[in-house]
Amino acid sequence: MLHYPVENLDATHAKEWLRCFQRVRQASETLCAPLHTEDYMVQTMPDVSPPKWHLAHVSWFFEAFLLKPFLQDYQTPNDAYDFLFNSYYETHGEPFPKPLRGTISRPTVAEMYQFRAHIDAEMARLLNDPPLDRLGEILSRVEIGLHHEQQHQELLVMDIKHILSCNPLHPVYRDDVRERLLEITETRQVQTAQQWHRYTAGVRLIGKDYSVAEGPQRDAGGFVFDSETPRHRQYVAEFELADRPVTNGEFIDFIEDGGYQRTELWLSDGWHHIHETGWQAPEYWQLVDGRWHQMTLGGLVPVDPDAPVCHVSFYEADAFARWAGARLPTEAEWEVAAAELPVAGNFVENDWLQPVASDSEGHEGPHQMFGDVWEWTGSAFRPYPGFKPLEGSLGEYNGKFMSGQMVLRGGCCATPGDHIRDTYRNFFPPQARWAFSGFRLARDA
Amino acid sequence: MLHYPVENLDATHAKEWLRCFQRVRQASETLCAPLHTEDYMVQTMPDVSPPKWHLAHVSWFFEAFLLKPFLQDYQTPNDAYDFLFNSYYETHGEPFPKPLRGTISRPTVAEMYQFRAHIDAEMARLLNDPPLDRLGEILSRVEIGLHHEQQHQELLVMDIKHILSCNPLHPVYRDDVRERLLEITETRQVQTAQQWHRYTAGVRLIGKDYSVAEGPQRDAGGFVFDSETPRHRQYVAEFELADRPVTNGEFIDFIEDGGYQRTELWLSDGWHHIHETGWQAPEYWQLVDGRWHQMTLGGLVPVDPDAPVCHVSFYEADAFARWAGARLPTEAEWEVAAAELPVAGNFVENDWLQPVASDSEGHEGPHQMFGDVWEWTGSAFRPYPGFKPLEGSLGEYNGKFMSGQMVLRGGCCATPGDHIRDTYRNFFPPQARWAFSGFRLARDA
Amino acid sequence: MLHYPVENLDATHAKEWLRCFQRVRQASETLCAPLHTEDYMVQTMPDVSPPKWHLAHVSWFFEAFLLKPFLQDYQTPNDAYDFLFNSYYETHGEPFPKPLRGTISRPTVAEMYQFRAHIDAEMARLLNDPPLDRLGEILSRVEIGLHHEQQHQELLVMDIKHILSCNPLHPVYRDDVRERLLEITETRQVQTAQQWHRYTAGVRLIGKDYSVAEGPQRDAGGFVFDSETPRHRQYVAEFELADRPVTNGEFIDFIEDGGYQRTELWLSDGWHHIHETGWQAPEYWQLVDGRWHQMTLGGLVPVDPDAPVCHVSFYEADAFARWAGARLPTEAEWEVAAAELPVAGNFVENDWLQPVASDSEGHEGPHQMFGDVWEWTGSAFRPYPGFKPLEGSLGEYNGKFMSGQMVLRGGCCATPGDHIRDTYRNFFPPQARWAFSGFRLARDA
Amino acid sequence: MLHYPVENLDATHAKEWLRCFQRVRQASETLCAPLHTEDYMVQTMPDVSPPKWHLAHVSWFFEAFLLKPFLQDYQTPNDAYDFLFNSYYETHGEPFPKPLRGTISRPTVAEMYQFRAHIDAEMARLLNDPPLDRLGEILSRVEIGLHHEQQHQELLVMDIKHILSCNPLHPVYRDDVRERLLEITETRQVQTAQQWHRYTAGVRLIGKDYSVAEGPQRDAGGFVFDSETPRHRQYVAEFELADRPVTNGEFIDFIEDGGYQRTELWLSDGWHHIHETGWQAPEYWQLVDGRWHQMTLGGLVPVDPDAPVCHVSFYEADAFARWAGARLPTEAEWEVAAAELPVAGNFVENDWLQPVASDSEGHEGPHQMFGDVWEWTGSAFRPYPGFKPLEGSLGEYNGKFMSGQMVLRGGCCATPGDHIRDTYRNFFPPQARWAFSGFRLARDA
């Protein structure tokens, strides 16, 4: 992703952004290329959206926030799309009910792709000849629109996995996924015991500002969501952090030790939730002939004991931590540790589409913090001190969800590598499991 | 439909049935021809099934009840179809959950049509060279399988209407539907006032036997579902029956007279149901600029005051009748009247796909009893005296639904004309509205 | 209960009715005498009403339908009672929500008894000096009010049983109940095998008219609810009826034969219902050390194999009948058989408060048709041909419930003996079990 | 409340604690003295418990955690109480289902008081002659048991208010409540405009340790719940805090400005919640002749514009703050401000049982932080760094609720004055309103 410069903008920048736009837009379509038309239609649960909807909604975003406000003479192909493909922007207009997204067969997939092509052409028209007096505003919105589309690229992978795995025929996403996954699993089989790494106490700078640079030890600028701002001080006490996420093998130990049956390990809400749902293992797991297997985008494979455990809820992560005599890190602790590390890992570009064990090279201190699995933290998703939402409907982007959700950090195997950073705050309700969500342990020093 | 002879069967009969089989099978595919692949996938509510599922399920029926038991060396294309496409035959195996039918993208529509082609080819193989010693059993099951498929043809029309109408884009089924409907509506605009026709009291023969003929005034034989048997005596008191169904215009009078607000008109269950749902008019109706319109397979059109009211629940039919100082006929009363009439009317072959006013020709006594709208009766769907369900899993066909449902009679504009008869008992829960359901009035003499 | 004469009424009749009124009113209070104040308050499920509510509601009935319309200068002690103690008369005013009846602590029990005393005194004032020109109307309403109160006496017994049985302390209704029950159980231990009794076919008169007498073989007149009218003809085919209800011992055989696990025995609604609820035996049953016990008003006692099975739903009765190769009788069949029998049996006056085996005396033909258990029939509760509801709000008494319910016949061990008759139609939803509901078998001849 | 000394304990201390025990126990009974037996039984919603249950449960606490483990030869009056009166201690045994607490009529109220008397007598026996070697443990549990009982005293007031207010008869708690409330309201009518008070940035000590004293500016020791520990460092940025809670008058301005209709003011969860519930004003408010009134323990009274708004959810508090261009304080901010103030205010001892305007005396800086209304903060209820739950079942006291709840601070008009402190963390789900919950505003400096 380009970094968005704050001054001295001219038409050259718009053209650079157009190329970036085209690259990100193409990535969404590449992700969906293996799908059949029928797959584009499915909504397996209210949290999941049909792939067709995702591809249309991210296009709607550019229409609603760029083309309609900034491109003279812009014509929408269909007025009703504004209602159908608005996700949750209530100030923009009442959105179509989310749980019914799978009931909408028209526009067809082909018409949806025509809508995308229309948006792409019109965006090219806008960025090839932008109104220069509003260029800052325009490029800022292009940037958020592309990060938005990248978020939906990750959601597409999560949702496609759910859509295929609910089918008793066990269809695969692509024929080569399974082999690629088994191959990398094979080479990553050695997993050392978890090590603790200690961090000293002190006042730390957490989050990031909209402005460019903050110091020599950090990247110069770059995109940031409103929820990551402002950069502010937090006192972080001395703590220890595990060098890697909890593995499937360790989680199997928890299961076999009666973890799902021991009330003292669970938060009250979690205990009730696992009783209502009957959960006895992570999402996508099943016992086959006494051995744990899991659904992947390549179909059902044996659980790799060395890979990070994935598709667990916050409740399960929290219960495991209590069982292990540890706790989840706060998001500040996680960020302090991550700030020292390069943003590298198993991202969607690896095309493994599943978390895998870290490679066997010796690591000093924490690793695998980026990619593989989103890591549940012990922090509720609440505004940072001094937080201000964006103006207008974009103010609904993150701020209104700061209730009832927990923060996850670090991205996963479905995240575009240039979408993530140490300050990035993802969030899900504590019972969500269909994301690639795992966790690592922390403890008081 | 052929009539199924009970003796002296030979290979010629099997070939005749094969031609019949091919005709009915083709009719299902013709109905779905206007659909896009995406339309085949949609389940708008648990009662509705995706068209793809319908087409697969009726094929499964022939596989499960004919090919597997009777065709040597029969190979299923996919073992999982037996689970996916079983509707409710619990003794056959646990069926896939009905409300999730819309979440299954594979088999694709193309694969489903391959499954149909496979079934068709194998059925041809069976009927071209049938085991003659089991021919009676085989042809009997072919016949029920074809009537079963015809039932799903009607469901396809109902469900496609629901699927399209839930879409804010208001897509139409075929481009010519609207024009055809407005054309016939135009020619049927004169609707005379409702007339009452009196029937004398006496013991009547109701229902039909599996055996061939019962008397000179009835057809010689013909198919019958288990629920219509046996033919038995009922005492029917003197009564009067309206000569035609209640019209849209009359139902608008009911609405405008506060019908939906007057508690004294409603059954207790109905009163609670309309409060929970907020119903203020029949399904598919909406006010546009102060005038009632309704969704049809040709899109939104003004309500024709002369056509039979349609898409009302039993509760609404019952409340209207009370408002009109009348009542619904019992199913025996309806059958007594219908037995005197030819089985003719506005069926799916008319391709109007919507009830229309009867033609302006003078009628003596009741008419429009077949076709246009299924007519709610005041009778609960319960077994006739002496009722015996079929053997084996086919015994689940009707018998197990004889609780909590009301009987409707006469077929509708989506029913194949050779599928209906005077003794035919359809049934729906009292709150169902997505069928083409209307009603006519009766009263005590 | 007095029989209500239709003409030549004078003040003497009013005084006779006053004595009858006082007797029935006293019976309600006698039933509640063993309760603690706390027991009067409890609503264990929406179907159950707190005893305090029952006692107040039946008094409200006299206030709303007699004192306010007919007694000059009548003053209600509290205007809000008209809202709080209206059960379901929507045309009278919106009733207080039924599921919240247990949340109303005021009026207190003592205040409720003061309300009763007030009603009693005012009713005495009315009946001691009635407006003679409206005496027919008044006495008619007194009679329905007393039958209404008797219905609630039975509900009181059912509800008190549920209230006490839900309490883990297993409180008893009265200390002597258990001993009385075990005593009578002891003397009734011989139960002969079920015998079938045949009835010939023909047109039968079913139901009863409001008018006095109908023929020499029937009682001259007597009270009748609107739902039992009018007396009308039904053709009843030849059938056989079991001489006694199905017993606990026979129902245990059904359980032990896997009755609750065999899908082919169940109506579809019933099969889903037992899966949602987990039912494996009748209500109030539990296994203690491998033997079936049941909660009674005297606490937990072993199930008596010879007593009629009780607290089963229609679904369970229907499944048992299918298992036994039989069916439930229609309500017309039941009535044909009952019309020949005296109205005698185990009623509330026996004070056993539980069904017991019939005495060992030889019986010719069916017995135990009155008392012990309400018997589920195979008939849906629908209006008789020619049915007309009462005028005004009393028209809501039965008519509006003629949907979604099944008919039960014969009264039970909680029914006042002078409240029941052969034409009496009770009704409950098919899943209800907290009534004293059992069944007997029928079969086609 | 006594302060619990950690060393040199002897029998004298036990006797002092016995007097304290007797005083707190008596206070619970005094609160319930105005109730009728019927009031003790009511559970108006799952969150509310019947007063009888509260009084029994707090007694069970002493039985389960003191008498059974420490008093030799202790006999429980009823083994089943251990099941019935356990609230949520899953490690102690499966508790009786909370939503059914209102269905338990036995033990009666009188028997429950006998249970209390039994516990009181046995606790006296224990504390008059304690096993000196375990005295520290015993007195520690007595102390937590008494704070536990004080928490239920507050719940009793909240629940009694709900129980009485749901009754259409509008019963009052005591006859003098209304007059007392109107009297104090009268004298407190002058409410000055809200003032902001600024606090400088820095690392602050938040929370409290189990150990005795922490510095000259704080109380020497005192009780603390596990959730308040340990005392730890937090960086608190510069902020401003309102000098008083938001008033009813200000909240009416919010309502009249369309606050409940403006989606941009609400968290997403809150927006959906107010649409599901239809909330248009705080709990207990209703319009009477165009003027806002509210239910109090003295019945319906006009809303006092100068008193703190009360019975609002976190969602409403958060929406109001956004409307006012401010935010809720974090719990650390609140505690920093409160640490400077004496613990004084409108507590349950004032016996006004309703928040009232602060007195007209000039205040420097924030006031009314203790008493009147619990103040919603913007902080989710999560463990402090270094938090450790208590050993054994008491570890369930607070820790397992640290999910899905928001922190409230400062106590209310129903809180015992010696139960509250600056570090006290109360918590409720964001939609809860039946507590005396209000809020004050904060803003970034």
Side-chain angles (χ1 to χ4, degrees), chain A residues 34-39 41-44 52 78 80-81 83-84 96 100 102-110 163-164 166-169 171-172, chain B residues 34-39 41-44 52 78 80-81 83-84 96 100 102-110 163-164 166-169 171-172:
Chain A
L35 300 186
H36 287 274
T37 299
E38 292 83 348
D39 302 328
M41 284 293 301
V42 179
Q43 181 168 38
T44 39
K52 188 181 77 175
N78 194 320
Y81 291 0
F83 165 57
L84 277 177
F96 185 77
L100 301 182
T103 66
I104 298 301
S105 55
R106 319 287 181 92
T108 63
V109 171
I163 288 164
L164 298 178
C166 286
N167 192 316
L169 301 183
V172 301
Chain B
L35 301 186
H36 287 275
T37 298
E38 291 84 348
D39 302 327
M41 285 293 300
V42 178
Q43 180 168 38
T44 38
K52 188 181 76 173
N78 195 320
Y81 291 0
F83 165 57
L84 277 177
F96 185 78
L100 302 182
T103 66
I104 298 300
S105 56
R106 319 287 179 92
T108 63
V109 171
I163 288 165
L164 297 179
C166 287
N167 191 316
L169 300 184
V172 299

